């Protein structure tokens, strides 16, 4: 069966880093006992008990073997057979903005995430947002999906003008790679029929050549830069809400995977210092912010600057992903259309080389296989010009990664990070609209990566879709679409592999595998207690498993009600 789970019980495990010392002198602060502990160590061992001291794992093994660590001041937690896993390590999301939609901007998602079924619904929610912000402020919304609207099209400036033609309105596609502006916002930006498309972007136009309000890729900032930023108070509240949300879903290390600025980095660190951020966050800077970000002094111990994020293409469901072959359903009747890159191949390689030579890690967003070709070319060139051991170059999303590209990833020692929830949220439309059956069945080719022995990760890309790690693991194991059909059974992976991809592999991706990602002696005590045994439950029920408790460095940061 595709869901077999290889965990060997360490019933007699007594070995630990302190085995030669007197356990009485190493009294644990907490001992979790009588559990089903899935350690995710190199052997996928299982154990019964975990002892914790000073935020670190002191011992792992059988309940009887760990009794010696229980002293007068030890808190003993009887897990009563419940399953404990390492804390979820978020391989890629946008933590700091994950709770902005629905809090400070209108939530325009369609089912199964939101309520918008047609453009009238969308207009209604924007009118409600207008009532919230008043007649002077910008009206914003996020998460609309043209392929899930009854009209099967993007809203236009004319649709948004029904809310207001004098108050600027700016809404974002669910992919984050397209936006729509109303007439007032376009006027503020000075966008007219004569405005040229920026390199790597498109201003969509109507039959008369007038901008219709829809902006693609690098055209987004033409309007987006004019929209007032969230206030500091709003951003701090967004961070606080995000921390609670991630912790409630078992995430102990989050990722802010794009364009971290010095200001945001300081806000994250201040939030952690003030006790308002219960988990750790790894942030990725951009090509433009990497030098400035590195100068910020961090004091909380919970915030870390990771790699540098760049983009090679956009989104397949937005028709801006760069494919090797044309889209299944022609874009605006153009049967040769296959999307476009953000940069020429040589420009991308030049940017990558600059980051690579600085000693930093680079992670590049690439969905289409043509975009992935460009990324792998850039990674290969960087290593040829300036060889670096253990660079851990990452391909974010890796959605259309072909078999030959996976071979190249292996040669480069690079890491593919798969947004495998595409199979659930967009699988039906990838099959029927964008890619056709054969290509759609191979999106997020996790099994092919596993078969090559690659270290790979899987991610949610929140807020593109909700932060639900159990649904993420479920998607990788089952590959079931929203209509209930299996998409690409040959690419399903076992539960144990999906769990590794959200824990130890994700820690490895961020150079933290020695400290986090598995339940082993000396590592950070980042632990999660689950309502069901993820190893033995019906694979289709994995998405329904609840997080009962989340523990970060030995401290309980979330407990489920009741």
């Amino acid at each position: 069966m595709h869901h077999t789970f290889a965990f060997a019980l360490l019933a007699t495990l007594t070995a630990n880093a302190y085995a030669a010392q007197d356990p009485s002198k190493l009294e644990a602060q907490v001992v979790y006992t009588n559990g089903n502990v899935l350690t995710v160590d190199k052997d996928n061992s299982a154990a019964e008990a975990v002892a914790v001291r000073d935020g670190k794992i002191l011992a792992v093994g059988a309940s009887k073997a760990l009794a010696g660590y229980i002293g007068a001041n030890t808190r003993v937690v009887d897990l009563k057979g419940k399953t404990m896993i390492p804390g979820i390590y978020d391989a890629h999301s946008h933590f700091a903005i994950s709770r902005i939609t629905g809090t400070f901007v209108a939530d325009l998602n369609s089912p199964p995430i939101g309520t918008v079924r047609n453009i009238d619904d969308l207009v209604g929610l924007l009118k409600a947002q207008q009532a919230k912000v008043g007649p002077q402020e910008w009206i914003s919304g996020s998460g609309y999906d043209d392929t899930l609207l009854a009209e099967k099209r993007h809203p236009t400036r004319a649709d948004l003008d029904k809310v207001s033609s004098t108050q600027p309105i700016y809404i974002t596609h669910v992919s984050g790679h397209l936006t729509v502006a109303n007439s007032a916002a376009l006027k503020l930006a000075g966008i007219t029929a004569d405005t040229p498309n920026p390199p790597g972007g498109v201003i969509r136009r109507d039959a008369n050549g007038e901008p219709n309000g829809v902006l693609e890729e690098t055209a987004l900032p033409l309007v987006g830069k004019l929209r007032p930023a969230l206030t500091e108070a709003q951003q701090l509240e967004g961070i606080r809400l995000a921390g609670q949300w991630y912790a409630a879903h078992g995430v102990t290390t989050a990722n802010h995977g794009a364009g971290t600025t010095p200001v945001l980095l300081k806000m994250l660190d201040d939030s952690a210092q003030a006790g308002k951020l219960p988990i750790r966050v790894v942030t990725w800077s951009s090509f433009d912010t990497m030098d400035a970000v590195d100068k910020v002094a961090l004091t909380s111990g919970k915030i870390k600057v990771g790699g540098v994020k760049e983009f090679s293409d956009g989104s397949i469901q937005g028709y801006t992903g760069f494919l090797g072959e044309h889209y299944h359903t022609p874009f605006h009747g153009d049967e040769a259309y296959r999307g476009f890159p953000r940069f020429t191949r040589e420009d991308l390689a030049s940017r990558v080389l600059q980051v690579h030579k600085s000693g930093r890690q680079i992670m590049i967003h690439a969905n289409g296989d043509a975009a992935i070709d460009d990324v792998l070319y850039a990674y290969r060139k960087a290593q040829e010009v300036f060889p670096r051991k253990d660079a851990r170059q990452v391909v974010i999303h890796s959605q259309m990664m072909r078999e030959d590209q996976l071979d190249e990833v292996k040669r480069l020692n690079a890491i593919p990070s798969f947004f495998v929830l595409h199979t659930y949220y967009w699988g039906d439309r990838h099959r029927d609209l964008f890619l056709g059956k054969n290509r759609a069945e191979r999106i997020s080719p996790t099994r092919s990566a596993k078969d090559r022995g690659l270290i790979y990760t899987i991610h949610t890309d929140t807020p593109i879709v909700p932060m639900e790690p159990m649904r993420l693991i479920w998607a990788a194991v089952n590959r079931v679409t929203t209509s209930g059909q299996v998409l690409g059974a040959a690419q399903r992976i076992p539960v144990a592999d999906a769990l590794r991809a959200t824990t130890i592999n994700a820690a490895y991706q961020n150079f933290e595998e020695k400290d986090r990602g598995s339940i082993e002696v000396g590592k950070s005590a980042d632990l999660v207690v689950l309502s069901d045994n993820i190893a033995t439950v019906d694979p289709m029920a994995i998405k329904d498993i609840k997080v009962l408790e989340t523990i970060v460095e030995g401290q309980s940061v979330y407990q489920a009600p009741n």
Side-chain angles (χ1 to χ4, degrees):
M1 291 291 284
H2 69 271
H3 57 267
T4 50
F5 202 99
F7 270 107
L9 183 64
L10 297 179
T12 58
L13 179 68
T14 55
N16 58 74
Y18 307 104
Q21 300 179 43
D22 179 357
S24 65
K25 292 180 184 155
L26 286 163
E27 179 180 301
Q29 287 156 331
V30 190
V31 172
Y32 297 92
T33 187
N34 298 327
N36 168 46
V37 180
L38 307 182
T39 67
V40 195
D41 66 4
K42 67 180 174 54
D43 300 316
N44 277 346
S45 311
E48 295 173 341
V50 180
V52 175
R53 178 186 169 113
D54 298 331
K56 301 280 188 192
I57 295 168
L58 184 62
V60 184
S63 296
K64 280 183 183 174
L66 266 61
Y69 294 95
I70 299 171
N73 301 308
T74 304
R75 184 165 66 90
V76 179
V77 179
D78 186 350
L79 292 173
K80 297 177 181 172
K82 288 280 187 284
T83 294
M84 175 179 274
I85 61 170
I88 297 293
Y89 197 120
D90 166 28
H92 176 62
S93 73
H94 305 271
F95 172 80
I97 60 168
S98 64
R99 286 317 249 176
I100 302 304
T101 300
T103 306
F104 303 115
V105 307
D107 183 350
L108 305 179
N109 278 284
S110 295
I113 297 171
T115 61
V116 174
R117 296 181 184 275
N118 53 49
I119 288 173
D120 281 348
D121 288 351
L122 182 146
V123 167
L125 286 173
L126 290 174
K127 283 181 175 172
Q129 185 68 11
Q130 181 184 37
K132 269 191 200 174
V133 301
Q136 305 302 321
E137 301 296 323
W138 282 59
I139 302 165
S140 300
S142 185
Y144 84 87
D145 188 334
D146 55 303
T147 64
L148 290 178
L149 299 176
E151 295 84 354
K152 302 295 183 211
R153 65 170 175 84
H154 290 269
T156 63
R157 68 193 289 177
D159 296 314
L160 302 191
D161 284 351
K162 291 175 187 170
V163 181
S164 176
S165 58
T166 56
Q167 192 172 353
I169 303 173
Y170 186 70
I171 65 171
T172 306
H173 188 258
V174 65
S175 66
H177 290 263
L178 299 96
T179 55
V180 190
N182 73 337
S183 296
L186 291 171
K187 188 176 177 184
L188 279 173
I191 295 175
T192 68
D194 299 324
T195 307
N197 288 333
V202 175
I203 299 166
R204 289 198 188 175
R205 303 164 202 270
D206 63 20
N208 302 317
E210 291 292 331
N212 72 358
V214 180
L215 306 170
E216 299 179 11
E217 299 299 337
T218 58
L220 271 58
L222 299 178
V223 175
K225 69 185 178 189
L226 302 175
R227 184 175 57 164
L230 293 173
T231 65
E232 184 177 353
Q234 287 173 324
Q235 289 188 71
L236 288 169
E237 177 65 359
I239 289 168
R240 187 185 72 80
L241 292 170
Q244 291 181 343
W245 189 29
Y246 279 52
H249 285 87
V251 179
T252 53
T253 302
N255 171 250
H256 186 71
T260 302
T261 61
V263 171
L264 175 59
L265 190 59
K266 189 82 171 66
M267 279 187 201
L268 287 165
D269 198 46
D270 288 349
S271 295
Q273 194 71 38
K276 293 181 178 175
L277 181 54
I279 64 176
R280 278 184 313 274
V281 182
V282 176
T283 68
W284 297 350
S285 53
S286 69
F287 186 80
D288 299 321
T289 66
M290 62 186 186
D291 290 328
V293 157
D294 279 351
K295 294 186 177 96
V296 177
L298 301 174
T299 57
S300 69
K302 282 189 164 178
I303 310 299
K304 174 188 169 185
V305 176
V308 178
K309 170 87 176 289
E310 190 50 273
F311 291 84
S312 178
D313 70 345
S315 153
I316 289 169
Q317 54 268 29
Y319 278 102
T320 61
F322 185 33
L323 301 178
E325 296 176 26
H326 61 80
Y327 278 80
H328 180 63
T329 302
F331 178 62
H332 290 183
D334 181 356
E335 297 200 356
Y337 180 85
R338 56 192 185 94
F340 56 89
R342 279 280 188 104
F343 303 98
T344 67
R345 179 175 285 195
E346 293 303 334
D347 281 351
L348 183 67
S350 168
R351 291 169 85 88
V352 166
L353 181 59
Q354 197 171 325
V355 176
H356 182 75
K357 283 176 91 168
S358 77
R360 296 177 176 92
Q361 184 187 22
I362 182 129
M363 27 271 294
I364 303 183
H365 163 121
N367 273 308
D369 53 326
I372 294 168
D373 275 334
D374 289 351
V375 171
L376 296 179
Y377 170 82
Y379 286 172
R380 184 169 65 250
K381 285 291 173 194
Q383 286 286 33
E384 286 170 3
V385 173
F386 192 82
R388 258 179 67 196
K389 278 187 178 172
D390 205 23
R392 301 192 196 184
Q393 300 158 321
V394 183
V395 186
I396 297 295
H397 304 327
S398 297
Q399 191 176 178
M400 301 300 298
M401 195 170 269
R402 303 184 308 262
E403 297 290 314
D404 62 299
Q405 290 174 328
L406 285 159
D407 291 337
E408 178 70 351
V409 164
K410 184 162 187 176
R411 279 193 292 273
L412 288 167
N413 265 330
I415 301 168
S417 186
F418 299 108
F419 183 7
V420 76
L421 278 161
H422 271 123
T423 55
Y424 175 63
Y425 286 104
W426 288 279
D428 293 315
R429 282 161 289 148
H430 274 343
R431 182 191 60 235
D432 301 338
L433 283 177
F434 304 119
L435 298 171
K437 182 174 183 289
N438 290 344
R439 281 187 296 179
E441 288 190 339
R442 278 204 76 265
I443 63 171
S444 301
T446 45
R447 182 72 200 207
S448 293
K450 170 185 165 59
D451 289 346
R452 283 168 174 76
L454 291 174
I455 294 177
Y456 61 90
T457 64
I458 57 178
H459 61 259
T460 64
D461 204 20
T462 305
I464 305 302
V465 304
M467 177 46 69
E468 296 177 335
M470 291 300 124
R471 186 181 294 279
L472 174 64
I473 291 169
W474 169 88
V477 170
N478 296 288
R479 292 181 69 100
V480 171
T481 69
T482 48
S483 72
Q485 298 180 60
V486 173
L487 184 73
Q491 289 298 337
R492 295 188 295 198
I493 54 172
V495 180
D497 293 74
L499 183 58
R500 293 188 76 83
T502 55
T503 52
I504 189 65
N505 291 4
Y508 173 87
Q509 179 184 288
N510 286 281
F511 291 91
E512 293 207 313
E513 76 278 8
K514 289 182 178 150
D515 302 312
R516 327 200 186 284
S518 60
I519 302 176
E520 297 184 80
V521 169
K523 285 194 173 184
S524 186
D526 298 344
L527 311 165
V528 174
V529 182
L530 301 176
S531 62
D532 298 276
N533 185 350
I534 194 169
T536 57
V537 73
D538 175 352
M540 280 299 287
I542 291 172
K543 65 179 170 39
D544 304 316
I545 293 175
K546 299 286 184 280
V547 169
L548 301 181
E549 186 173 13
T550 303
I551 297 142
V552 177
E553 294 179 355
Q555 300 297 312
S556 182
V557 299
Y558 169 78
Q559 288 183 310
N562 305 319

